Amino acid sequence: IGCDDEPFSEFSYEDDGSTAARREDTTVSLAVGEVGRVVLPPNEIDAGGSLLGDFFVDDDDGGGRRRRRRRRRVFVLCDAFALEAPTPEFVRARNGSERVWRRSEELWHEGLSEWARGGTALLTAVRLFEESLETFLWDDDDDEEVPEAAVRASPVPRHPLRTEVSRRCHFLGMCYNDMSSSPPRVARKWFRRAAVTALASTPLPDLYSEWALSYESDGDVANARRVAELATRRPLAPFWNDAYQRPGVWLEDLPSRPFWEEGHCGYPAVWTRRLVEGFGDIKEEFMRLLLSSSLDGGCRHPTHWPRVGGNHRPTGRNDDTVVSSGDWREMVLFGSGTGGAAVAPRTCGLLRRYCRDAVELAQEGGGEVIFSVLAPKTRIKAHCATANIRLTGHLGLLVPTDPTKKCQIRVKNEWRSWKEGEWLIFDDSYEHEVVNDTDEPRGILLVRFWHPAVRNRDATMKEVLRRRQYSQQIRFDPPSGERL
């Protein structure tokens, strides 16, 4: 690292703790693929882009040849841009010209004017936004593949508006993602371009969440995981810790695991045991509701219950999109669209008495408490919940008995089965899917409750709402560059 082309002093640390300063140019060469450790990111140094890295390097014998079997540890203080692959020279020359930037700005602001008009002019705005960004030379040939490296050469060289270009690509991707007439690959192209254009130190939670979700919605969880892997490997601004855990709102300080067992962070709570003790009452009310419209009194699928994703509640209108086959029905006990004490008074009484945090979470919009029934031959696609502030409990009420056919839930990469009168507790922010290949319905009491590590629930809920509001704002407000 240098200042005005003058190198900083290099200090060597002696065994007795003293230091000796040398004024000399130092070149540290690292092989492609060499792994280093970020000791201090920019926000912990000066917020201006400095990075302290920890590396092991081969010694040089002075003639350009490296000595084998002798490696030394070095701490390198450098510009964070050093973590980026250099932009190819012909791309740099083309995309760095003032003429290209001026034309891109003109088209983008024409698009802003059309966007402000609303209505059918929005389509014209999207076309102008795309023309604005296509003035740059992109070296991806419209390839839809997820990049293999978390850091790639940016086609847009260093420029005061480079971050703005990344934001614009992200916004255009969201526009195409919301257009039913647009193939998903078009949106993904712009998500990918937003990612490779962004600075290594720029947090991109909404971008990676939207990008991964576009694959997840298509049932392509392999590519959703690949996107998440890129997010976890970003050197200065990582997002998520696990490619299988991809919530849109992720609080990184909360401990996580797919399934929760006794002794994990305060679980189980007293309420889980109390509801097991009240299993008889819960099962009786569930069966009464299940059979209330059955002509022969048999154990049939409750088509008289509301369908998940229906109009009976204002939230979760798209929850049915994860049903790949079959039918999924629910009876809401607490939360929006509730039947509550009117349909299951004893069950609701037990929940109010012993599980107040789940009731409060449902009333605050954090997830309903429901009786849930999967019809025979039903499959729920792999998906992730929108936040990691809660856990989900399934109390088995009606479990298919045919051992030759599968009725299980997968969380991350582990499959488990339900048992009547027993709990399955898991973190639904992890990728999970459900299969009922039997000829019988599967019924559970589904309870969502606060993550045990959440201490200040009011502050946590406000933070989740703030992030969700921001995600909505950037979805409908195109970047204007005014703040620059």
Side-chain angles (χ1 to χ4, degrees), residues 372-411:
S372 169
V373 176
L374 283 185
K377 312 299 183 186
T378 296
R379 290 185 169 236
I380 307 297
K381 293 188 296 186
H383 63 286
C384 300
T386 58
N388 67 330
I389 64 169
R390 70 186 189 191
L391 300 181
T392 296
H394 287 182
L395 178 62
L397 300 176
L398 184 65
V399 179
T401 56
D402 186 349
T404 65
K405 296 180 179 178
K406 190 172 187 176
C407 183
Q408 290 184 312
I409 181 172
R410 175 181 67 84
V411 183

Side-chain angles (χ1 to χ4, degrees), residues 15 38 40 84 96 108 143 149 210 231 244 272 292 352 413 453 479:
D15 291 338
V38 175
L40 290 174
E84 298 186 324
W108 188 267
D143 185 12
E210 189 93 17
Y244 284 87
T272 58
S292 62
R352 286 197 185 97
N413 50 16

Side-chain angles (χ1 to χ4, degrees), residues 159-176:
H159 188 283
L161 290 177
R162 175 170 156 183
T163 298
E164 180 74 3
V165 172
S166 175
R167 294 173 61 230
R168 292 176 183 184
C169 289
H170 179 194
F171 179 79
L172 185 58
M174 290 189 290
C175 289
Y176 280 122

Side-chain angles (χ1 to χ4, degrees), residues 232-388:
T232 64
R233 299 204 315 265
R234 298 191 76 233
L236 297 183
F239 182 56
W240 297 323
N241 283 333
D242 190 323
Y244 284 87
Q245 188 184 25
R246 305 183 297 271
V249 177
W250 179 62
L251 304 186
E252 58 273 15
D253 295 332
L254 296 179
S256 62
R257 54 183 56 84
F259 285 101
W260 284 64
E261 314 291 351
E262 188 168 347
H264 284 166
C265 197
Y267 170 76
V270 173
W271 65 266
T272 58
R273 296 190 288 268
R274 291 288 183 262
L275 265 62
V276 169
E277 292 170 1
F279 174 75
D281 287 340
I282 297 171
K283 174 77 177 280
E284 182 182 340
E285 289 189 326
F286 169 79
M287 293 303 296
R288 176 179 54 79
L289 292 168
L290 183 72
L291 304 175
S292 62
S293 188
S294 178
L295 298 178
D296 59 4
C299 218
R300 304 175 63 178
H301 184 58
T303 55
H304 54 294
W305 287 20
R307 181 176 281 111
V308 171
N311 295 324
H312 59 291
R313 55 186 171 100
T315 60
R317 293 285 180 85
N318 296 319
D319 286 356
D320 60 328
T321 59
V322 299
V323 180
S324 60
S325 64
D327 192 24
W328 185 13
R329 301 280 173 156
E330 68 179 4
M331 185 65 69
V332 180
L333 304 181
F334 291 102
S336 60
T338 179
V343 296
R346 285 175 290 172
T347 300
C348 290
L350 287 168
L351 289 164
R352 286 197 185 97
R353 184 175 181 182
Y354 297 117
C355 197
R356 293 179 62 182
D357 68 333
V359 173
E360 292 172 0
L361 183 63
Q363 292 171 340
E364 292 175 12
E368 289 73 24
V369 177
I370 63 174
F371 283 141
S372 169
V373 176
L374 283 185
K377 312 299 183 186
T378 296
R379 290 185 169 236
I380 307 297
K381 293 188 296 186
H383 63 286
C384 300
T386 58
N388 67 330

